[in-house]
């Protein structure tokens, strides 16, 4: 683990990331020392820093530290956690923050290739997220939320859903809101393939602005439709994929115990992902 550019395993106990979840994180895949989606991760991190009023670290410096953290691993993921650091009074942050940046590298899941080729099991999450934004800013368009799409450190809803996945012995959960709309999966965005066409539910105020989805949006162009998608719209022949920037595209072959197909274009999109991201 690296803290502020040095190998370390501790941070101060008065760090606001520990006290209030006051910070952001990115998890970035490195393949043979290369992070093909680095710029998209930095764009999302910069957006979060701007909204939370946390100084954005130098991206080149972060990249150098991430490469050091990966070391000789050919395929690894680096989690960058950026906290506001210490200071302030209760919820009121200091005017001049001194952020802490924490980097930790790990190997990719050993069964990732199996999940991509054979598929994964999914349950419908037992908890539903709110249908409306958490916060609204006067004067901004209805439905806008300053926290929308951010990878902030407040992830307790996802932890509870993760407990449900663990207890059910499945890899993923389909997350809905209180109106029955698809939000995302536990660890990535959801993509529906229907007769060769792709649909990404959203944008939703509680969904992460996924880097993997940003790549797919760029590559798929007009063949990808993004819209509100209700759970009751899901047809038996629709394929469900889970997409994130570390694990790529994984097909769901079982939802709530019922078998599902993986779609006619899955292998082509997986091939394109590997070509761009992992080689």
């Amino acid at each position: 683990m690296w803290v502020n550019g040095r190998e370390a395993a501790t941070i101060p106990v008065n760090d606001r990331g520990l006290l209030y979840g006051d910070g952001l994180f990115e998890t970035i895949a490195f393949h043979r020392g290369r992070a093909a989606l680095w710029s998209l991760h930095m764009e999302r991190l910069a957006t979060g820093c701007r909204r939370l009023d946390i100084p954005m670290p130098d991206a080149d410096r972060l990249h150098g530290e991430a490469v050091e953290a990966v070391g000789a691993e050919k395929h690894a993921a680096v989690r960058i956690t950026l906290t506001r650091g210490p200071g302030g009074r209760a919820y009121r942050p200091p005017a001049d923050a001194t952020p802490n940046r924490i980097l930790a590298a790990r190997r990719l899941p050993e069964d990732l290739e199996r999940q991509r080729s054979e598929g994964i099991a999914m349950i419908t999450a037992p908890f539903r997220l709110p249908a409306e934004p958490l916060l609204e800013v006067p004067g901004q368009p209805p439905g806008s939320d300053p926290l929308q799409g951010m990878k902030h450190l407040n992830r307790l809803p996802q932890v509870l859903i993760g407990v449900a996945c663990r207890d059910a012995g499945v890899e993923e959960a389909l997350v809905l809101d209180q109106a029955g709309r698809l939000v995302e999966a536990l660890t990535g965005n959801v993509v529906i393939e229907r007769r060769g066409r792709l649909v990404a539910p959203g944008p939703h105020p509680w969904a992460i602005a996924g880097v993997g989805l940003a790549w797919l949006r760029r590559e798929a162009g007009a063949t990808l439709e993004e819209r509100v998608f209700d759970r009751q719209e899901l047809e038996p022949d629709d394929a469900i994929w889970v997409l994130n920037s570390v694990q790529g595209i994984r097909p769901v072959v079982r939802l709530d115990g019922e078998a599902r197909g993986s779609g006619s274009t899955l292998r082509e999109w997986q091939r394109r992902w590997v070509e761009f991201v992992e080689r």
Side-chain angles (χ1 to χ4, degrees):
M1 181 178 292
W2 295 69
V3 179
N4 298 327
R6 298 181 179 181
E7 286 193 75
T10 61
I11 62 170
V13 295
N14 64 344
D15 187 281
R16 294 181 63 87
L18 288 173
L19 298 178
Y20 306 111
D22 189 357
L24 303 157
F25 72 101
E26 295 286 336
T27 306
I28 306 172
F30 277 78
H31 299 277
R32 299 176 186 84
R34 172 177 169 264
L37 301 175
W38 178 267
S39 62
L40 292 175
H41 283 284
M42 291 300 102
E43 288 175 15
R44 185 171 63 185
L45 182 62
T47 297
C49 285
R50 183 172 63 253
R51 292 181 185 173
L52 292 182
D53 193 29
I54 295 175
M56 172 69 182
D58 180 80
D60 290 338
R61 184 176 188 179
L62 268 184
H63 187 272
E65 292 172 356
V67 170
E68 284 195 77
V70 169
E73 289 288 346
K74 288 185 177 181
H75 305 283
V78 176
R79 171 168 165 145
I80 299 172
T81 303
L82 182 70
T83 75
R84 195 183 302 271
R89 183 177 179 181
Y91 293 125
R92 297 177 59 178
D96 298 314
T98 306
N100 284 318
R101 59 187 189 279
I102 306 159
L103 278 71
R106 59 175 171 80
R107 293 180 178 178
L108 299 187
E110 292 183 359
D111 64 342
L112 180 55
E113 288 306 316
R114 180 197 62 78
Q115 291 188 28
R116 289 178 178 177
S117 61
E118 299 179 13
I120 58 176
M122 171 183 270
I123 59 171
T124 300
F127 311 105
R128 293 198 175 190
L129 299 181
E132 302 298 330
L134 178 66
L135 302 171
E136 289 197 7
V137 181
Q140 295 295 317
S144 62
D145 184 338
L147 299 179
Q148 183 169 354
M150 289 171 47
K151 294 204 76 170
H152 52 70
L153 298 182
N154 294 272
R155 312 303 297 169
L156 286 180
Q158 287 72 29
V159 171
L160 289 176
I161 294 170
V163 169
C165 287
R166 180 200 66 193
D167 292 347
V170 300
E171 293 90 352
E172 274 293 346
L174 184 64
V175 182
L176 309 178
D177 71 10
Q178 293 169 356
R181 297 177 298 185
L182 273 61
V183 179
E184 58 188 357
L186 175 60
T187 66
N189 293 109
V190 169
V191 178
I192 308 297
E193 189 209 296
R194 175 176 290 174
R195 293 181 285 277
R197 302 281 295 181
L198 304 180
V199 180
H204 193 281
W206 284 80
I208 294 294
V211 164
L213 181 58
W215 171 85
L216 182 63
R217 184 183 297 122
R218 184 179 65 195
E219 296 295 313
T223 63
L224 174 68
E225 179 185 6
E226 296 185 70
R227 64 172 178 85
V228 172
F229 198 102
D230 292 335
R231 174 64 174 86
Q232 63 185 11
E233 288 185 60
L234 199 59
E235 299 176 358
D237 292 336
D238 288 343
I240 305 171
W241 306 342
V242 178
L243 169 61
N244 75 30
S245 64
V246 172
Q247 295 175 311
I249 303 170
R250 297 174 295 154
V252 174
V253 294
R254 193 165 295 276
L255 173 61
D256 295 327
E258 296 185 359
R260 302 197 72 89
S262 57
S264 61
T265 66
L266 170 71
R267 299 308 177 197
E268 173 60 18
W269 279 111
Q270 287 181 326
R271 183 195 65 77
R272 291 175 68 170
W273 174 270
V274 170
E275 286 289 334
F276 184 85
V277 175
E278 300 180 7
R279 290 186 179 171

